[in-house]
Amino acid sequence: MRPPLNGSSVSVGIKNMEEKKKTIGVRGLLAAVVLCLCSVAVSTEETKQKQLRFMENGEFKILQNVSCSDLNTTAFLHRMILAEKPDLIVFTGDNIYASDATDAARSLDAAFSPAISASIPWAAVLGNHDQESALSREGVMKHIVTLKHTLSQLNPAGIDLIDGYGNYNLEVHGVEGSGFENKSVLNLYFLDSGDYSKVPSISGYDWNKPSQQLWFQRTSLELQRAYMSKPEAQEAPAPGLVYFYIPLPEFTSVVDSSNYTGVKQETICSASVNSGFFTTLVEAGDVKAVFNGHDHVNDFCGEYTGIQLCYAGGFGYHAYGKAGWARRARVVVATLEKTDEVSWGPLKSIKTWKRLDDQNLSTIDVQVLWSNNTPGGT
């Protein structure tokens, strides 16, 4: 999320679009109940990764949430969980508005409580405000990885020198009992896009560093080799999805081409320098879509050079929005190819839509992000 204009030394030419928080009503009370449903701290033994895999219907559903949590936000997330029944929830940054948090750990517990109480696996990355309370960015991520049902990781195992906190990947295996039950048919990459530039001569937001890009390249290559080797050797890599907070500069190219679904209602607040990470993603050959947060009243998703660049849309209420423009959440569903009446094969397609926080949780902007039936796979 962008910092308030009177609270940051970084000038990024952004309009102040703060709106008053909604009065907490019945939904807020329901959310308060949700917060009390569980204890969130668990031992290291309990946080071992549960193997993600596709369901027996051949689908895997991801709900993306950019939080800045308060009771209204928590209530919306609870409604979305009941409506969509996701297999994974991804929190893509600004999980709390830390400058307003008197107890950062308790605020983090509350932000993730709907996923925890529903016993749904979840993963998180950091935004640019998570560290503005008593906990550092490292401290925030260290707390997150102790919580129930999280698949989040502090950083890749065995790698000491990598920028940021919360760089990791998750594998989603095929349906149990199928030929792909021990293969990752969908790969998820998570990265810390930082907060603000640490280079005095460069103002504005942070960016994905060379150490992170190198880790991504090596991880992608290892996953591709495994997928394209026996048993069930495949000719092309398994599709990958990438999640981090601050959008890439290439989001501007999507807007310039007008090749997108959704709306752009504010400046794209990426870093003022281009780190080359988008080129790294294209060269890897497996990434089909990138999902970001940060700009709360942009919710578009569009293709550029073979990769879909997507905003989550404004989810949280404890942050700026736009009057008359409903808060919303992005859903992604990956579907496997059916090989016969009883078995599932590799990935067939990836679709997305958004749900509005209105009376009916209205579905809008249904979009195919990738299909293996399309030439080039996009």
Side-chain angles (χ1 to χ4, degrees), residues 230-347:
K230 293 180 179 181
E232 298 287 351
Q234 300 298 297
E235 294 182 358
L241 306 178
V242 183
Y243 291 89
F244 52 92
Y245 188 67
I246 297 174
L248 296 166
E250 284 77 8
F251 271 71
T252 301
S253 298
V254 173
V255 174
D256 291 344
S257 71
S258 299
N259 182 28
Y260 61 89
T261 299
V263 296
K264 174 189 176 291
Q265 301 180 117
E266 63 176 307
T267 303
I268 295 170
C269 295
S270 56
S272 60
V273 296
N274 194 322
S275 69
F277 188 37
F278 181 77
T279 301
T280 298
L281 297 175
V282 173
E283 289 176 341
D286 62 333
V287 173
K288 306 306 177 187
V290 173
F291 300 93
N292 299 135
H294 200 38
D295 304 330
H296 293 212
V297 294
N298 290 339
D299 75 347
F300 68 82
C301 190
E303 183 269 334
Y304 180 65
T305 320
I307 295 178
Q308 299 281 350
L309 300 179
C310 303
Y311 277 108
F315 192 108
Y317 282 91
H318 195 69
Y320 71 90
K322 183 176 181 180
W325 195 70
R327 293 303 201 272
R328 58 206 58 212
R330 183 172 293 282
V331 179
V332 171
V333 173
T335 304
L336 298 177
E337 195 173 81
K338 193 141 192 171
T339 55
D340 54 48
E341 291 185 2
V342 296
S343 189
W344 298 95
L347 203 61

Side-chain angles (χ1 to χ4, degrees), residues 20 29 36 45 69 93 99 119 143 163 185 200 207 264 343 370:
K20 294 180 179 179
L29 294 175
C36 301
E45 183 67 23
S69 183
S99 61
S119 300
H143 182 77
D163 288 275
V185 296
W207 55 88
K264 174 189 176 291
S343 189
W370 175 85

Side-chain angles (χ1 to χ4, degrees), residues 40-44 47 109 122 141-150 152:
V40 293
V42 293
S43 69
T44 303
T47 60
D109 295 348
W122 58 276
M141 206 66 206
K142 281 185 173 179
H143 182 77
I144 287 173
V145 301
T146 68
L147 302 182
K148 281 186 176 179
H149 306 302
T150 189
S152 308

